[in-house]
């Protein structure tokens, strides 16, 4: 068999170094050809056993990105799904059973099937670089790690830690992998090959769990499974997201072997691969990849960023820029106004760089209070994040234009004003672009990049590239009121407010939408954003003379602004809404409240606010958290009966 993806080198000590480098691909993936070749390599090593085997990547981008997602999307039958699983399960089982020591040298991202491959090795060595990250994210695609992850990971690091990784899909860095026991060691890049050789030939026994963990992984697994299922149930419903429930079931009842699950079970390969959730979450994955492509055609590398407005939004934008290595000057009317933003940033950096005080200190040093605005003159990107007042923004940008570098990106974070209306204050209105973040900035991945009819190509491209440098998802949108996300959220929130005016309790409304699959109910969301902001945005988007729902107007008049004032539609304590028990949810309530959102999303596509329906779905999912298992509002609408859509 011709080997196209692997390169084998046998050194003087008899160690075989197997380097995976899939030709023509930016990242390694485990397609059928790669797995078949790995089987052939193991055949060859059976004939001439090495002293040891090191598996590494030839890609600068990382170790292995996981299975070939394109192959997954071509699965058209239960038999094909089973064949795909059997292929990986078998070859990794062979790797785990070889008589010679094996080691995975993990540098860069190690995801899904890539991590399952490393679990089949005797040793794992991580390289201590920012790009090294290990995860089993299959659950985020509506499936599960069926190539041995559900079998081997709990045996390696214990069931609680393993289930946490498998049920959330979250990743760990190189150092945390060592702390968990997922990696045997974590070393700098300069010594990685030598360290791999030493560990491989060390004769060290594979890691063995303490007795209690072994008992929890065996005789007491049902107890662990029951607790895990209760925790999952607080976050997702089995009818919406069956995969996490299946992971628990397969680990507890089938020894982590998906091939042993009867086809009639809701945890079976057949059930999971056929589920609408898996199909829709794969769709969401490709939508995300499309958003990641915006800005790739621009080699803009911003070094200095100036943010004007140190409120929650402006301060958090500045924090994210500093976190990504940029030097940030943060401007407001006084040091006293800037101080709370710096304090929040310090806490963010401490959490992000837990155990790495030096990195946290460096990040905080990159965030510079600048009440006089001296940073404008040197900034590559200038972001305005002041209050929503057209005259104030115009005056600010007229002043900025005089002092900024000619090629600096001038951006407004406005959420409801038109970029064209602000840009009339500039002598070169083509310089202004909208870069609209969402609150909380650290959590929500979407950023709308807004282009008016006057915006020039280069500032727009640079704005998208800047967003990608922050590891956010840029969504190109047309300069229409509310852009996409707020134009869609507004009617949804106002329908919820009308329900409140009719006497339906906030808890009942929120319960209905949580049952629908939203991450947060609309009433709690309004409290979180701020009821005064909801009023301001509503007036701007609805136009002069718009009548505010009475319950909203009354709360704001009474100074009850939501979470930030401690009282809104809910009373807030320790950052949490204090809710009474929800009454029985009336039939059709969720559909009634969601219907205006669906109509608004379709209207935005018709008006050309976004290029197509796929981008509308992407924007609403990543900008609002709209139930990902549906594939997005317009994808969901296509499945509704005509009378309901």
């Amino acid at each position: 068999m011709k080997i196209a993806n692997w390169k084998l080198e046998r050194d003087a000590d008899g160690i075989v170094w197997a380097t995976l480098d899939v030709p023509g691909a930016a990242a390694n993936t485990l397609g059928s050809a790669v797995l078949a070749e790995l089987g052939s390599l193991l055949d060859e090593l059976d004939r001439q056993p090495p002293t040891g085997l090191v598996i590494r990547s030839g890609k600068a981008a990382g170790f292995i990105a996981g299975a070939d997602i394109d192959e997954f999307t071509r699965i058209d039958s239960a038999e094909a799904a089973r064949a795909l699983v059997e292929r990986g399960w078998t070859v990794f089982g062979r790797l785990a059973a070889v008589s010679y020591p094996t080691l995975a040298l993990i540098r860069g991202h190690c995801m899904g099937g890539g991590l399952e491959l490393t679990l089949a090795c005797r040793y794992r060595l991580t390289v201590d670089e920012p790009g090294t990250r290990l995860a089993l994210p299959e659950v985020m695609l509506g499936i599960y790690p069926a190539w041995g992850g559900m079998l081997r990971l709990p045996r390696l690091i214990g069931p609680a830690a393993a289930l946490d990784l498998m049920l959330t899909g979250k990743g760990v860095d190189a150092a945390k992998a060592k702390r968990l026991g997922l990696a045997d060691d974590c070393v700098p890049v300069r010594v990685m090959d030598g360290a791999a050789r030493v560990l491989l030939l060390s004769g060290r026994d594979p890691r063995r769990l303490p007795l209690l963990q072994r008992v929890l992984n065996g005789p007491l697994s049902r107890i662990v499974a029951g607790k895990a299922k209760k925790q999952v149930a607080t976050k997702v419903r089995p009818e919406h997201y069956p995969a996490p429930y299946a992971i628990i079931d397969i680990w507890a009842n089938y020894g982590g072997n998906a091939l042993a699950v009867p086809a009639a079970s809701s945890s079976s390969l057949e059930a999971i691969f056929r589920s609408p959730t898996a199909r829709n979450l794969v769709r969401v994955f490709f939508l995300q990849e499309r958003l990641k492509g915006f800005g790739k055609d621009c080699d803009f590398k911003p070094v200095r960023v100036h943010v004007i407005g140190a409120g929650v939004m402006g301060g958090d934008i500045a924090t994210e820029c500093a976190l990504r290595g940029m030097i940030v000057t943060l401007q407001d009317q006084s040091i006293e106004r800037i101080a709370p933003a710096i304090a929040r940033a310090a806490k963010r950096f401490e959490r992000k760089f837990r155990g790495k005080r030096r990195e946290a200190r460096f990040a905080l040093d990159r965030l510079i209070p600048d009440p006089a605005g001296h940073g404008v003159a040197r900034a590559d990107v200038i972001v305005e994040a002041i209050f929503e007042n057209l005259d104030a923004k115009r005056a600010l940008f007229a002043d900025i234009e005089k002092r900024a570098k000619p090629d600096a990106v001038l951006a407004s974070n406005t959420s409801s004003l038109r970029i064209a209306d602000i840009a009339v204050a500039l002598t070169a209105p083509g310089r202004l672009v909208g870069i609209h973040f969402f609150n909380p900035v650290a959590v929500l991945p979407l950023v709308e990049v807004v282009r008016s009819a006057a915006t020039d190509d280069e500032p727009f491209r640079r704005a998208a590239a800047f967003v990608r440098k922050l590891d956010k998802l840029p969504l190109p949108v047309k300069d229409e009121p509310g852009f996409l996300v707020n134009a869609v959220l507004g009617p949804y929130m106002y329908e919820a407010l009308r329900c409140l005016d009719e006497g339906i309790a906030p808890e009942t409304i929120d319960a209905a939408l949580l049952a629908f699959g939203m991450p947060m109910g609309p009433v709690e969301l309004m409290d979180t954003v701020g009821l005064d902001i909801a009023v301001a945005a509503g007036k701007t988007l609805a136009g002069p003379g718009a009548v505010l729902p009475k319950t909203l107007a009354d709360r704001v008049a009474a100074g009850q602004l939501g979470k930030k004032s401690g009282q809104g539609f809910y009373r807030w304590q320790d950052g949490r809404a204090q809710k009474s028990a929800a009454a029985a949810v009336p039939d059709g309530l969720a559909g009634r409240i969601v219907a205006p959102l669906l109509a608004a999303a379709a209207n935005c596509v018709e008006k050309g606010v976004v290029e197509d329906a796929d981008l509308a779905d992407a924007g609403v999912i990543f900008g609002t958290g709209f139930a990902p298992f549906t594939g997005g509002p317009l994808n969901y609408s296509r499945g509704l009966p005509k009378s309901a859509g």
Side-chain angles (χ1 to χ4, degrees):
M1 177 182 181
K2 183 180 178 183
I3 304 295
N5 300 289
W6 296 87
K7 178 182 177 183
L8 252 63
E9 301 168 274
R10 192 181 292 254
D11 67 19
D13 294 322
I15 297 172
V16 168
W17 298 76
T19 306
L20 177 60
D21 193 352
V22 178
N28 290 322
T29 56
L30 296 173
S32 55
V34 172
L35 290 173
E37 290 178 10
L38 178 57
S40 296
L41 296 180
L42 293 175
D43 289 340
E44 180 179 328
L45 298 180
D46 283 345
R47 291 188 290 270
Q48 289 185 295
T51 305
L53 170 66
V54 176
I55 297 177
R56 61 185 178 181
S57 169
K59 300 287 187 191
F63 185 69
I64 299 173
D68 186 333
I69 195 71
D70 290 321
E71 285 190 6
F72 174 78
T73 60
R74 293 196 293 271
I75 293 174
D76 57 2
S77 67
E79 293 75 18
R82 186 165 286 273
L84 181 146
V85 170
E86 284 179 340
R87 189 181 304 132
W89 176 271
T90 301
V91 73
F92 290 174
R94 285 191 60 195
L95 176 61
V98 298
S99 59
Y100 45 85
T102 55
L103 179 145
L105 178 54
I106 305 165
R107 182 183 185 189
H109 53 249
C110 175
M111 303 290 165
L115 181 52
E116 290 183 285
L117 184 153
T118 73
L119 292 171
C121 294
R122 185 179 300 181
Y123 307 117
R124 282 150 301 281
L125 184 67
T126 54
V127 178
D128 192 10
E129 287 186 321
T132 299
R133 198 142 189 91
L134 293 76
L136 288 174
E138 285 87 349
V139 71
M140 300 175 77
L141 296 177
I143 56 176
Y144 43 56
W147 286 350
M150 292 184 288
L151 166 71
R152 297 188 180 93
L153 187 60
R155 293 180 179 178
L156 183 67
I157 66 173
L163 287 171
D164 182 49
L165 292 180
M166 292 189 290
L167 295 175
T168 63
K170 67 184 180 184
V172 297
D173 61 19
K176 186 169 183 180
K178 181 184 177 183
R179 291 198 301 272
L180 284 173
L182 182 51
D184 295 277
D185 206 351
C186 172
V187 299
V189 63
R190 67 182 182 275
V191 299
M192 62 181 185
D193 289 344
R197 180 188 302 276
V198 169
L199 179 57
L200 184 72
L201 300 180
S202 67
R204 183 196 300 184
D205 289 334
R207 186 171 187 269
R208 184 172 171 80
L209 286 174
L211 176 60
L212 176 59
Q213 292 294 323
R214 296 202 301 273
V215 171
L216 292 174
N217 214 28
L220 299 184
S221 61
R222 297 292 180 89
I223 296 174
V224 178
K227 184 177 180 182
K229 191 173 290 187
K230 286 180 181 178
Q231 290 176 335
V232 169
T234 64
K235 296 181 176 132
V236 296
R237 297 168 180 253
E239 64 269 28
H240 295 161
Y241 297 97
Y245 293 89
I247 289 171
I248 297 168
D249 180 38
I250 295 169
W251 167 71
N253 299 315
Y254 300 97
N257 182 1
L259 296 168
V261 182
S265 169
S266 60
S267 301
S268 69
L269 289 165
E270 290 81 359
I272 293 295
F273 277 79
R274 283 175 176 163
S275 72
T277 294
R279 181 173 64 251
N280 286 334
L281 290 182
V282 169
R283 165 183 164 78
V284 172
F285 169 81
F286 282 113
L287 292 177
Q288 178 175 279
E289 291 303 298
R290 184 176 175 190
L291 293 179
K292 287 180 179 179
F294 293 116
K296 273 191 173 180
D297 60 344
C298 181
D299 191 30
F300 178 52
K301 295 183 174 62
V303 175
R304 293 179 176 273
V305 177
H306 185 76
V307 179
I308 305 169
V312 171
M313 183 63 76
D316 289 357
I317 292 169
T319 297
E320 293 307 299
C321 293
L323 191 62
R324 300 292 168 182
M326 301 171 201
I327 299 169
V328 186
T329 42
L330 179 57
Q331 180 180 350
D332 212 309
Q333 294 174 346
S334 67
I335 285 288
E336 289 74 20
R337 285 179 176 266
I338 299 172
I342 301 295
R344 287 197 313 275
K347 291 180 180 178
R348 170 93 166 104
F349 298 149
E350 285 172 14
R351 289 193 303 270
K352 181 70 175 178
F353 298 107
R354 188 174 286 113
K356 298 181 178 179
R357 295 177 63 184
R358 192 164 173 241
E359 284 83 349
R361 180 73 249 177
F362 286 165
L364 192 59
D365 287 347
R366 290 193 293 269
L367 182 55
I368 305 165
D370 183 19
H374 296 302
V376 167
R378 301 181 65 190
D380 303 304
V381 178
I382 300 166
V383 180
E384 167 272 310
I386 66 171
F387 56 98
E388 292 288 79
N389 180 282
L390 182 59
D391 290 338
K393 289 180 189 287
R394 283 175 173 170
L396 180 62
F397 275 107
D399 176 64
I400 289 171
E401 186 182 31
K402 298 172 187 173
R403 297 187 290 131
K405 296 191 300 184
D407 60 347
V409 174
L410 306 186
S412 174
N413 183 57
T414 181
S415 59
S416 55
L417 300 174
R418 294 179 71 243
I419 297 300
D421 291 339
I422 301 171
V424 297
L426 300 177
T427 57
R431 293 185 67 181
L432 189 65
V433 64
I435 302 181
H436 180 215
F437 293 81
F438 296 92
N439 191 28
V441 175
V443 175
L444 287 173
L446 190 83
V447 178
E448 290 175 317
V449 182
V450 191
R451 181 173 193 167
S452 75
T455 303
D456 294 334
D457 288 343
E458 188 60 19
F460 184 71
R461 291 171 61 244
R462 287 187 169 204
F466 165 65
V467 170
R468 284 301 298 136
K469 293 293 187 296
L470 297 178
D471 199 27
K472 299 288 186 183
L473 302 174
L475 174 70
V477 295
K478 187 177 174 182
D479 188 21
E480 293 286 339
F483 315 131
L484 171 71
V485 173
N486 282 348
V488 166
L489 266 185
Y492 166 73
M493 308 272 258
Y494 267 54
E495 190 62 34
L497 288 165
R498 278 187 277 272
C499 291
L500 287 170
D501 278 355
E502 293 170 15
I504 302 175
E507 291 87 350
T508 303
I509 294 168
D510 282 350
L513 275 301
L514 289 172
F516 175 82
M518 294 298 198
M520 181 183 288
V523 181
E524 185 175 351
L525 178 60
M526 281 184 279
D527 261 8
T528 302
V529 170
L531 301 189
D532 54 334
I533 293 174
V535 167
K539 286 180 176 177
T540 302
L541 295 175
V547 178
L548 293 175
K550 186 176 185 306
T551 48
L552 177 63
D554 288 349
R555 294 281 183 186
V556 173
Q560 298 176 355
L561 306 182
K563 184 177 181 179
K564 60 188 171 185
S565 70
Q567 178 68 56
F569 290 108
Y570 295 114
R571 182 173 63 84
W572 289 80
Q573 186 174 333
D574 299 326
R576 299 175 67 87
Q578 305 302 300
K579 298 184 181 182
S580 303
V585 175
D587 290 341
L589 180 59
R592 170 189 168 179
I593 295 173
V594 167
L597 183 154
L598 304 180
N603 186 49
C604 283
V605 175
E606 289 173 12
K607 292 197 305 182
V609 176
V610 287
E611 186 179 328
D612 53 44
D614 283 353
L615 286 182
D617 278 344
V620 179
I621 289 170
F622 292 111
T624 74
F626 185 91
F629 74 90
T630 65
L634 298 180
N635 186 65
Y636 172 74
S637 294
R638 287 191 285 271
L640 290 175
K642 292 297 181 184
S643 60

